[in-house]
Structure formats: C-alpha cells, structure tokens
Amino acid sequence: MRYIIIGAGAVGGAIGGRLAGSGHEVVLVARGSQYAALRDGGLRLRVPDGAFTHRLPTVDGPDAVGELRADDVLVLAVKTQDSEAALAAWGPAPVAGGGTAAERLPLVCAQNGVESQRLALRRFRRVYGMCVWLPATHIEPGVVSAAGTPLTGVLHLGRFPRGTDETARLIAADLEKSRFEAPVVPDVSRWQFAKLLSNLGNALEAVSGPFQGEETAALYERVRAEGAAVLDAAGIAYTSAEEQREARGDKITLVPLDGSPRGGGSSWQSLTRGTGTIEADYLNGEIVLLGRLHDVPTPLNGLLQRLANTFARERREAGSMPVAELVRLADEAVAFVQEDRARRL
C-alpha cells in the first residue's frame, strides 16, 4: 500500500517518516512553508535512533498527485479545524480504475478529538479512527522530532464507527514494522474518548505553559473531572486509566534529542507557530457541546475553549497567562454557572 499523509506536520511527519524508513511508499501533503521545505530539502526526522532525511514525493493537494491508486491509504493528520477543507479536496479525487477516493479508498483519521471521523463519514465510505499516543514536535519547516523510545508511538486503530477488517490489520502490520504498536480494536472510539479527556489539558498548557506545580495539576484535574462527568451523563464509554497504563506500559519513554527541544503539545505548538487557529473547539469544545446536549454545566472547559481561541486569534504568546490568573478566572466561571443555575431553579 502507498500512504498519502495529508498534513505532514508533527504527527503526520512522524508517521510518514517512520513508514518511509521501513521501506513503505509515502507521499507527503503539506502547505505553505512546510510544503516548500519538504519539497526542497526532504523530511528531516529526528528520533532517538538518529536523524534521518527522507526525500519523499511532496504535493500540496490531490491535483498534484494525479490519479490515485487503488492501493492508496489516505492518512488525515491535519488539525481538526482544517479537516473539512481537506476532506472536500480529497473526496472527489479520481482513482485508477474508476470511482473517487471517497468511494473507494480507506481514510485514517490520525488526529486528536473525535469530530474529524464524523465529518469524514459524511463523505468517505471507509473511515478508520486512530487513537494517537505519539509525542512529536514540528520544530521548523521540514523538521519533525519524535522523542519516544523504544516505540515512537502507540496507535490504536479500528473502523469507524465500530468494527475491524483486513485493511485495518494490514495498516497495523505496516505501522508495527515502523516503530509503532498498532492494536486493532473493534471499539476505537472508546480509546479516543479517553484520549480526549487527557487532551482537555492542551488548552491549559497553551494558555499558561507546561504543567508545573500543584496549582496547575489541581486545575487540570478539575477540568478532566468535568469532562468525565459529561461523558458519563452522555453514556459514552471510554477506557479506564488502568487499561490505558496497561496498554502503554513503558513502551514510550521520552529522551532528550540534540537540537530538538521538547516543547508543549499540539495546541501549544499552534500558538508558538502563530497559525492563528487552535483545536480547542474540538477538544474542550467537544465537552462543552456534549454538556449542553445533556444539561451538564461545563464552565471550566468553556473558559479554556474561549481563552485558547482568543490567544490564537490575537496571536498571544503561548503560556503567557499566569496560572494564578487562570485559576481565578476558573473559580469565577464556576461561581457564575452555579449562581445562574440557582436563579433558574
């Protein structure tokens, strides 16, 4: 199979680079300065076992690929806020032998959150979800680091909305030859919703910096507990912390990489690069949406969603809000909701 990585940033670059390094055919899709750097200098992947340059075919859209092949696998690795545009572009792309990508090709959503696969299923017949445990950083155009060892990541994979098939097993086999563990599971959404709970801290990190000290940890636990209460009220299953620890074990240990400082997570990286957008609407915003649907208040996640979007829109410096200020705003948001509900009762 040939892998077309739509969004060759941190996650897409790490997956594409590792697949290429184990002999698989890979095409990278990128935009702007990342596209130019990948096209001209190749993908420079820094990992614990060395620094590698993969000179791979690089395109900026489906027209540059030409006719897709029947053995292509599309890997959607853009941020969720960019998914709709990518799906609209790639869905109608023609496939050799007839039909379109949306009709014939598998699409793997290698992204945070759960919304992209819903969007994809409106257009694509064969959609696969992936729970991405892959610490990676987009350092500069053309350069990606992935500091995990002995595995680069753990990528649970399955059909969306449920089930498994031979294609999932073939993709998993290729990933497992490429420094990943890729369990094929019939309930991939259960893993993704558990990951969503951990990703609720992405906006907190983006706004107030890396998790340090008891005050930050305590606020994150409040945010996560609010998210768990919403999922419970909605009847949405998610894997337990114990099941996740058992699955990941000590398979991914982060090690320092020369010239590759480990920054924050994906939302922090978006602010640092000044993209003007951030994925908070599909992380904290997913909890806010479900809370409104099931009448569960979500003041903490709503606050983080608003702050993260403001930081992105105004291109504020990542981590520039003191934690004490964020805690004060969080307490005010909770008090306001409690007073509002009391008035309505």
Side-chain angles (χ1 to χ4, degrees):
M1 295 185 291
R2 181 175 68 167
Y3 291 88
I4 298 180
I5 310 295
I6 305 170
V11 168
I15 292 175
R18 281 307 203 184
L19 284 167
S22 61
H24 297 288
E25 195 173 356
V26 174
V27 175
L28 303 178
V29 183
R31 299 178 301 176
S33 60
Q34 180 73 345
Y35 164 70
L38 293 171
R39 179 198 61 199
D40 297 340
L43 170 65
R44 290 171 286 166
L45 180 63
R46 299 174 182 173
V47 286
D49 48 308
F52 305 93
T53 298
H54 299 287
R55 297 190 176 276
L56 303 171
T58 302
V59 300
D60 59 359
D63 291 343
V65 177
E67 197 172 50
L68 294 168
R69 298 180 352 200
D71 64 346
D72 281 339
V73 175
L74 305 182
V75 179
L76 187 65
V78 299
K79 297 290 177 58
T80 303
Q81 62 267 28
D82 297 320
S83 289
E84 183 60 35
L87 293 166
W90 286 87
V95 178
T100 65
E103 295 167 329
R104 295 188 55 194
L105 299 184
L107 176 86
V108 180
C109 294
Q111 300 161 288
N112 287 332
V114 296
E115 180 63 17
S116 276
Q117 52 210 19
R118 298 175 187 152
L119 295 173
L121 205 59
R122 289 181 171 91
R123 299 176 184 271
F124 282 77
R125 185 174 64 86
R126 301 168 62 194
V127 176
Y128 297 77
M130 178 180 282
C131 180
V132 180
W133 290 98
L134 200 179
T137 303
H138 180 186
I139 299 173
E140 62 184 63
V143 183
V144 170
S145 73
T149 189
L151 293 179
T152 299
V154 176
L155 309 173
H156 286 76
L157 177 69
R159 284 293 295 260
F160 180 79
R162 66 192 65 84
T164 64
D165 61 14
E166 183 62 17
T167 297
R169 287 185 282 274
L170 289 171
I171 294 169
D174 286 349
L175 290 168
E176 293 193 341
K177 296 172 185 173
S178 309
R179 298 295 187 100
F180 296 102
E181 184 170 293
V184 178
V185 294
D187 53 355
V188 68
S189 291
R190 197 167 65 92
W191 292 90
Q192 291 174 308
F193 273 105
K195 178 72 173 356
L196 173 66
L197 291 178
S198 69
N199 285 143
L200 297 180
N202 285 24
L204 196 164
E205 178 188 56
V207 169
S208 290
F211 283 26
Q212 295 177 347
E214 295 181 1
E215 199 171 25
T216 306
L219 179 56
Y220 166 67
E221 286 304 320
R222 292 169 63 190
V223 172
R224 188 189 184 284
E226 186 178 272
V230 166
L231 296 188
D232 292 342
I236 295 173
Y238 53 94
T239 53
S240 66
E242 292 74 22
E243 191 172 358
Q244 293 175 68
R245 281 194 296 269
E246 183 178 348
R248 294 181 0 240
D250 57 357
K251 299 168 185 174
I252 303 176
T253 299
L254 299 184
V255 299
L257 299 176
D258 291 341
S260 302
R262 172 63 180 165
S266 56
S267 297
W268 184 91
Q269 292 179 49
S270 291
L271 291 185
T272 300
R273 294 200 306 277
T275 62
T277 65
I278 200 165
E279 59 191 338
D281 284 344
Y282 304 100
L283 301 178
N284 307 91
E286 181 71 28
I287 295 301
V288 171
L289 170 62
L290 290 169
R292 289 169 179 164
L293 290 172
H294 297 278
D295 196 28
V296 179
T298 57
L300 298 177
N301 281 280
L303 172 66
L304 287 175
Q305 179 187 8
R306 292 191 300 275
L307 286 174
N309 279 318
T310 298
F311 268 58
R313 184 175 60 253
E314 298 179 358
R315 288 176 167 79
R316 296 189 192 178
E317 181 183 353
S320 58
M321 177 176 283
V323 174
E325 173 67 7
L326 182 56
V327 171
R328 183 187 68 78
L329 293 174
D331 290 341
E332 288 181 355
V334 170
F336 176 83
V337 168
Q338 289 173 341
E339 291 170 5
D340 182 62
R341 289 175 72 86
R343 284 194 300 269
R344 288 189 286 124
L345 292 174

